[in-house]
Amino acid sequence: MAGTPVQVTGTVLTTRRVDAYHALTVVAPGIAERFRPGHFVSVAVGGTHTSMVTRRAFSVHDVKSDYGGTVELVFTVRGRGTAWLAERRARDTLDLVGPLGRPFPLPRDPAHCVLVGAEYGSAVLFPLADALLARGCRVDFVLGGAGAERVFGAMRARRIAETTTLTTEDGSLGLRGKVTDALPSVIADTRADAVYACGPMETLRAVTAVGMEFDIPVQVAVEERMACGIGVCMTCVIPVIGEDGATRMVRACAEGPVFRGERVRFEDVGTIPFDALGAPGGGARHVS
């Protein structure tokens, strides 16, 4: 049953603002009991008679056993769909499908793990932190955003992690700069065994580069636009290098959203590389 997606009509339990973001807690027992860290849900937006036919994908920030099972979604308003969702109130209902996607792999043995989140991408890392701590792992956070109001989860991170490093591009909170500016020293100081990250593609690309410099694995949860969320529409494909060294266009919603960072061809996201299988070049790209 774990991980098997279901479609449910969930009742909004609470809504709140968290600095620059919106957080909705929805009663969705079927999804909550199947959830694993890194999974996401897709939500129908706009109401029954809307012209917005495509769903919106959201990472899950928190899962609780209250009311049989609740999930909390954190998002920012980017368009008509998320604007509609931000207007939901307690007792409204939402059509959700989940849990979807491939969750984060967890280490078999206790390990030192650095969790890196940019903007509201940090939300997905907190269920992961709970799972890692339950396995006896050490957890250290590096969280960042453009400004203080866009750093998500700082207080919770400080409560549960060994250390929490905050960065802002405008210097209004923590260190001035980006998460990747602080990451090398955190990896060195904590003797990290692995890095987990979520945020914009450019952030994930930079985090992966740092991890490769330290020769430690990086797991990234990509933020790619997803329409169907179940692997049918092919709108979220990205180029990923397989174990055989061949590049394939894979679906972020089905084969992801979690990938090994060094396997994602970040520089080619948004294109179909000439050497991808099935592309005109039809070749294979190898990695060492």
Side-chain angles (χ1 to χ4, degrees):
M1 182 179 69
T4 304
V6 294
Q7 183 173 9
V8 303
T9 298
T11 301
V12 176
L13 184 64
T14 63
T15 66
R16 61 191 178 104
R17 287 297 300 268
V18 185
D19 294 323
Y21 307 115
H22 297 266
L24 264 65
T25 299
V26 185
V27 179
I31 295 176
E33 64 185 353
R34 293 167 168 81
F35 171 80
R36 296 293 180 270
H39 278 147
F40 68 95
V41 299
S42 68
V43 182
V45 297
T48 306
H49 304 292
T50 182
S51 62
M52 293 187 285
V53 296
T54 59
R55 291 172 172 266
R56 304 300 190 270
F58 299 97
S59 298
V60 176
H61 168 237
D62 208 0
V63 173
K64 287 187 169 63
S65 59
D66 303 358
Y67 302 93
T70 65
V71 295
E72 184 178 66
L73 316 177
V74 175
F75 62 96
T76 188
V77 173
R78 285 185 168 177
R80 289 193 302 146
T82 46
W84 177 88
L85 194 63
E87 294 172 353
R88 298 311 93 198
R89 296 295 178 261
R91 300 184 182 178
D92 287 345
T93 58
L94 294 174
D95 182 305
L96 301 90
V97 175
L100 297 169
R102 173 179 171 265
F104 287 109
L106 302 177
R108 295 178 183 176
D109 302 311
H112 291 191
C113 303
V114 177
L115 278 53
V116 185
E119 306 277 329
Y120 66 97
S122 305
V124 72
L125 300 175
F126 288 94
L128 172 64
D130 291 339
L132 291 171
L133 291 169
R135 291 196 171 207
C137 296
R138 169 177 168 147
V139 169
D140 296 88
F141 272 100
V142 182
L143 305 177
E149 76 286 353
R150 303 198 72 84
V151 177
F152 181 82
M155 291 181 62
R156 183 175 176 185
R158 284 170 168 156
R159 287 197 303 267
I160 65 176
E162 194 75 20
T163 67
T164 298
T165 302
L166 306 178
T167 69
T168 49
E169 294 176 34
D170 64 4
S172 56
L173 179 66
L175 304 174
R176 180 184 292 273
K178 299 182 179 181
V179 288
T180 45
D181 295 326
L183 183 57
S185 62
V186 174
I187 290 176
D189 292 345
T190 64
R191 299 182 180 179
D193 300 306
V195 173
Y196 294 86
C198 185
M201 283 293 192
E202 281 304 310
T203 298
L204 300 183
R205 179 180 184 177
V207 169
T208 297
V210 173
M212 292 177 69
E213 288 179 9
F214 282 86
D215 195 27
I216 59 176
V218 179
Q219 297 286 340
V220 298
V222 301
E223 292 183 354
E224 191 68 9
R225 289 186 178 273
M226 303 174 188
C228 74
I230 57 175
V232 175
C233 70
M234 305 296 286
T235 60
C236 64
V237 293
I238 61 174
V240 175
I241 303 166
E243 294 293 340
D244 60 357
T247 294
R248 295 172 176 82
M249 300 303 295
V250 304
R251 301 162 299 178
C253 69
E255 284 76 35
V258 176
F259 296 97
R260 288 171 53 185
E262 75 275 11
R263 295 287 180 178
V264 179
R265 290 176 59 169
F266 290 106
E267 69 277 12
D268 293 318
V269 169
T271 71
I272 300 177
F274 77 94
D275 57 346
L277 289 180
R285 175 167 171 162
H286 294 270
V287 295
S288 57

